Structures are given as C-alpha cells and as structure tokens.
Amino acid sequence: MKRLVSGLALLALTACGEAKAPETVATPPPPAGPAVKLYAMDCGRFTVKEAASFSDDGAYKGQKRDLVDPCYLIRSEKGDLLWDTGIPSAVAAVSPVEDDGSITTLTKTLEQQLAELNVTPADIEFVSFSHLHFDHTGNGNTFAGSTWIVDKDERDAMFSDAARKGEDFKQYGALEAAKTVLIEGEGDHDVFGDGSAVIVQAPGHTPGHTVLLLRTANSGNVLLSGDMWHIAESRETRRVPTYNFDKAKTLASMDKVEALAAAHSAKVIRQHVPEDFDALPKFPAPLE
Ligand SMILES: [Zn+2]
C-alpha cells in the first residue's frame, strides 16, 4: 500500500511536470536577437567656465563644469554605424585651446582612434549625428562617402541659408551630396533592419535631434541620449538649456526617451556626462 501511494505520488508528480511543460513553452524568454558592439571614443573634452546656459532656471550659474564629447562606433555583422563625430580633428594639433577661461582638449583624432581598430572612414557604411551642433558634426565631411541617416527637420536646418554662412557648415557641408536616408514624420529608423540599432526622434534641443537605442549581447540595451541632458543632474530635474530650439518639445522628448528606456530596460548614456563615459569600457575595448 505504501509503495502504491508512492507510485501514485510519483505519477501525480510526473503529471504535474507534464502539465507544467506547455506553460514553459508558451512563455519563453524573449529571444536576444542580433546584437551590436559599442566602442566609445574620446572625441573631445570641455572645461566650461560658466555653465549657466545648460539650464534656463539659472541652476548652473557661476558653476564650472567638465563635459566629455564622445564619438561612438557601433559594429554589427551587417556593417558599421558612426554616431556623432566630435569636434574637428584639426583641434588636436593645437590642443588644449583656451578661450576666456574655458578649455577644449582633443588628444587623439577620430581617424587615429578608428585606425586602432583597423577601420578607415571609407569602411564605415552608416553615419548619423544626434544633432547638428559643432561638437557632434565636427568631422562630418570625412564621412560624406557613408550613407547618412538624418531627421528631415535636422537636415533642413543644417542646409538653411543661415547655417550655410556659419563656421560649423565648413565641417559638414560635404554631406549635402552624401547618399542620404531621411527620417520623416514620427518615424524611427532601424539602421541594420534587425532591431539592434534604432534611431529615435527626440526633437527640442534642435529641430530634429535624435537618440540611439542599441541592443548588446551581454550588457543589455543601451540608449545614447545625445544632448537631451548635458549635466548629470539635468535628467532628474528636467532642466532645459537656454539655447534649445523648443522647450515644450524638449520636455516632451524627455518623457519619450524615459519611456523608451524603461520599456527596453535600457541603460541611458548622457553623452556629455563624464561619469557615464567613464563607466563604459575603455577604448579600444567594446561594450558587448
Ligand atoms: Zn553637444
């Protein structure tokens, strides 16, 4: 009798096991999917003597702040994407540059850093910038042979009559003839077509500012947030720089980017914040 009970118990356990099996099959963990490797390059550093312009509520008035200015190489089996190109490489020859108490430093050019990976500008399939400012498009012309992915509003601003007369135009004007993929309307752009690198519109800092959502194999999802936040504490305080193109759009984009990061459990990299840059593997090691 005892043995029979044991036998029944065993049957019950087996039945339980069998009953549970389909549940496990029905809710598998989401497939990881194709992933990219992220290389963080130092494409400039700033010590800003007066940080007041980084918030329109005066929070940073009279403060001195250090900012990093990275470029990112994103490598996929389907090609390479360069996200932001830093300040002009010519600065390296005269670095450090002091201007009214603020200091700009560039110790190694973008081309020199790419060469450490045996990559030349001609090898790069795709280039994209979070936005048009000089510290992100500084070497744009060097990548005019790549396919340029850009928000239509941002491209229009880059080639406006006023922009053509500016100093910054000299660094990116050749992109006008580049093979171009326009991001229009409310769309995102899936760079490699497999969800591993998606450019998402986040306007406000500039007319067509964008952020980049990446999937890595071992480190989860990462969100490069462009100039959504220049200063670490600007994220939680939702501070908006004085010189942003549109404050209401900036605040709406902050909400959008936070929701995007939460939905994908993505680690947010505030691109100008030294502690975020320093937390990434030191180049030439990638985050993967
Ligand atoms: Zn910037």
Side-chain angles (χ1 to χ4, degrees):
M1 189 68 192
K2 227 176 175 183
R3 282 187 68 88
L4 183 60
V5 169
S6 295
L8 282 171
L10 188 66
L11 267 174
L13 277 173
T14 307
C16 269
E18 280 169 1
K20 276 182 182 168
E23 260 179 57
T24 310
V25 171
T27 55
V36 296
K37 293 182 183 180
L38 174 66
Y39 295 82
M41 295 172 281
D42 181 343
C43 291
R45 285 175 186 259
F46 307 109
T47 297
V48 180
K49 182 185 162 195
E50 171 53 80
S53 67
F54 294 126
S55 179
D56 65 4
D57 66 359
Y60 305 128
K61 196 167 168 17
Q63 294 184 19
K64 185 173 167 180
R65 292 288 187 145
D66 291 322
L67 276 73
V68 290
D69 189 32
C71 307
Y72 293 97
L73 180 68
I74 292 101
R75 309 206 79 176
S76 152
E77 285 179 3
K78 297 180 178 176
D80 290 337
L81 163 68
L82 185 64
W83 173 256
D84 286 343
T85 55
I87 56 174
S89 288
V91 174
V94 291
S95 171
V97 179
E98 192 180 336
D99 179 19
D100 195 24
S102 292
I103 300 165
T104 301
T105 314
L106 181 65
T107 50
K108 231 185 237 185
T109 68
L110 171 54
E111 294 91 327
Q112 285 170 337
Q113 293 177 82
L114 290 173
E116 290 181 43
L117 299 172
N118 293 317
V119 172
T120 68
D123 296 328
I124 301 211
E125 283 83 1
F126 303 104
V127 65
S128 190
F129 310 93
S130 57
H131 63 296
L132 58 81
H133 289 158
F134 78 100
D135 53 323
H136 300 262
T137 55
N139 301 294
N141 291 341
T142 307
F143 301 93
S146 305
T147 295
W148 179 29
I149 305 166
V150 59
D151 183 284
K152 183 181 183 301
D153 294 333
E154 197 74 352
R155 190 182 185 283
D156 288 347
M158 290 170 80
F159 294 104
S160 67
D161 290 343
R164 285 173 193 277
K165 291 176 193 142
E167 263 314 288
D168 302 351
F169 187 82
K170 293 174 191 164
Q171 298 296 330
Y172 67 73
L175 288 166
E176 193 164 25
K179 185 181 171 194
T180 302
V181 174
L182 285 180
I183 306 173
E184 298 186 70
E186 295 298 308
D188 302 333
H189 183 78
D190 185 345
V191 178
F192 301 115
D194 58 13
S196 63
V198 180
I199 298 171
V200 177
Q201 294 174 321
H205 183 56
T206 56
H209 178 272
T210 48
V211 299
L212 176 61
L213 180 64
L214 302 171
R215 181 166 58 217
T216 68
N218 304 318
S219 307
N221 296 320
V222 176
L223 201 155
L224 302 179
S225 63
D227 278 15
M228 198 89 262
W229 305 284
H230 297 75
I231 305 292
E233 56 266 42
S234 289
R235 184 179 173 193
E236 62 190 49
T237 52
R238 293 165 57 82
R239 290 190 182 125
V240 178
T242 56
Y243 58 95
N244 272 24
F245 169 72
D246 187 309
K247 181 168 184 173
K249 283 187 179 175
T250 300
L251 291 168
S253 289
M254 284 181 184
D255 292 340
K256 180 179 178 178
V257 170
E258 294 290 7
L260 185 70
H264 292 84
S265 303
K267 180 177 173 50
V268 174
I269 307 293
R270 297 159 295 188
Q271 287 189 217
H272 282 306
V273 174
E275 66 201 58
D276 288 6
F277 182 71
D278 293 342
L280 291 167
K282 193 168 167 55
F283 185 81
L287 184 79
E288 56 186 320

